[in-house]
Each structure stands twice: as structure tokens, then as C-alpha cells.
Amino acid sequence: MDKVQEMLKDMEESGVKADCVTYNTLISYFSKAGNFQTAHAMMRKMIRDGLVPTVVTYGTLIHAYCLNGNVEEAIKIFRDMGVRSKVTANTVIYNILIDSLCKNRNVEFALSLMNDMGVKGVRPNTNTYNSIFKGLRENNWLEKAFELMDGMTEHGCNPDYITMEILTEWLTAVGKTEKLKKFMQGYEVSAPSHGIAATR
């Protein structure tokens, strides 16, 4: 931290002003290292310097807290960014939170965040659905899974090999292969290394 302060001071003395990229890099480093106190101190300094935290700033902190197992703090930052800072969360931030909530078996909250995405006009992607499907499978919430499968098709969100792996294993085990076949119609799901090719 002393070295960082020294570098920032050197920048100022040389007439080079720290910008959002400078601070986001520092916040990312300290938060990933688990030094959240310093990460937040950097964010406060960023604001004092007249810079506005961006979606990247908040996303970095949210991701680090989730990796650290502190989803509650991540949710607090998520709420703060929307209310106090007026920064709109993007698909990446929602996905990080949804995935962490599902891994912590808080699927209802994850579903509410997915609904919030719709309200805010943030488009879910295949990763969003994959995280939710995993959470639903753990709870065997078939009807909700069917609802999301229909929604995925309606919104033209293509499944990938992970989606099909989750659903094939789950729906085959509970005897719902017809539903799976219907969902798969019109999609050509490629191997992991080649992405997705939609045929419809």
C-alpha cells in the first residue's frame, strides 16, 4: 500500500492525473487479494479526486466479495450502486450475483434478480440461464425450469453445451425426455470450443 501511495504521489507531481482506469485497476487488485479495506479506501479516494465509480468499479468489488463467499456484502454494493450512485448493473454483474446465490442455494433470490433484469431492461444471456438451471435442478423445481426453457426460446437465447448437459442429465432422470426433445428442436449445440450455431 505504501508503494501504491508513493506511485500515486509521483503521478500527481509529474502532472499525470489518476483516472478511472488507474483506480479500477487498484480496486481490482486489492479486492481480489481480499484486502477490501484498502479497495474501499481507493474507491473513496477516487470519489475525492472528482471521479465517478463506474459499472466496472462496482463489478470488480461485487465479483471479489462473491469469490470470497460474502454474497451479502456483494448484494449491499449492488443495491448501493443503483440507489446512491445511479449506476445500472449490466448482465455480467447480474450473472455474478445469480451464480453465487444459486451456489449458496438461494434460488428464490436469484430468480428475483432475473426478474429485476427484465424490469431494468438488462438482457439475460446463456450464462444467466445456466446458473439458474443449476439452482433449479438442485431443488428439482421442474415447472420453473420449463417456464425458463420456454422463455429462453422466445427470447432467442441459444443454449450451449452446458445448458444441454444440465437439462439432459436432469430431465432424463425424471422422465421428461419429451420436453427436452421439444426444447432441442431448432438448435444445433456445438462442442465446447466452437460456440453455438443456431439453425433456426
Side-chain angles (χ1 to χ4, degrees):
M1 188 57 205
D2 290 340
K3 195 76 174 172
V4 169
Q5 294 290 4
E6 188 182 322
M7 286 183 71
L8 289 172
K9 188 179 176 183
D10 285 346
M11 284 175 71
E12 289 173 14
E13 288 174 355
S14 302
V16 180
K17 195 170 182 180
D19 60 9
C20 284
V21 176
T22 313
Y23 282 109
N24 286 345
T25 303
L26 291 168
I27 290 165
S28 174
Y29 172 76
F30 288 116
S31 57
K32 284 178 181 175
N35 190 344
F36 292 105
Q37 187 176 348
T38 304
H40 283 285
M42 285 290 106
M43 191 169 173
R44 288 192 294 272
K45 181 167 171 47
M46 179 183 188
I47 294 166
R48 283 198 306 273
D49 284 354
L51 298 168
V52 180
T54 65
V55 69
V56 174
T57 318
Y58 286 104
T60 295
L61 282 168
I62 288 167
H63 190 209
Y65 272 114
C66 286
L67 286 175
N68 205 48
N70 194 343
V71 185
E72 285 183 14
E73 191 61 35
I75 293 293
K76 278 167 66 176
I77 293 168
F78 168 76
R79 287 177 172 153
D80 179 71
M81 70 181 283
V83 176
R84 188 183 303 176
S85 303
K86 307 297 182 189
V87 176
T88 305
N90 58 16
T91 305
V92 173
I93 289 177
Y94 275 105
N95 284 354
I96 290 165
L97 290 170
I98 286 169
D99 187 59
S100 294
L101 287 165
C102 287
K103 283 175 178 173
N104 282 276
R105 304 184 74 85
N106 197 344
V107 186
E108 286 188 23
F109 196 172
L111 286 167
S112 74
L113 281 185
M114 195 172 185
N115 290 335
D116 190 54
M117 290 177 82
V119 172
K120 301 281 175 57
V122 181
R123 189 180 173 88
N125 61 19
T126 308
N127 291 334
T128 319
Y129 283 99
N130 287 347
S131 293
I132 291 284
F133 284 139
K134 285 177 188 175
L136 294 174
R137 181 182 62 184
E138 290 298 313
N139 291 276
N140 203 32
W141 290 0
L142 275 171
E143 291 305 316
K144 190 64 187 177
F146 295 156
E147 184 184 318
L148 290 179
M149 285 162 70
D150 292 340
M152 196 173 186
T153 304
E154 286 166 17
H155 291 103
C157 187
N158 297 336
D160 62 9
Y161 76 100
I162 296 172
T163 319
M164 301 317 296
E165 191 176 83
I166 297 162
L167 294 177
T168 300
E169 184 182 305
W170 181 17
L171 299 185
T172 302
V174 294
K176 297 291 182 180
T177 51
E178 285 305 313
K179 185 73 179 175
L180 181 65
K181 285 176 187 174
K182 186 180 175 185
F183 176 69
M184 289 173 69
Q185 284 174 359
Y187 290 114
E188 181 185 322
V189 182
S190 66
S193 59
H194 296 97
I196 300 137
T199 58
R200 65 185 178 90

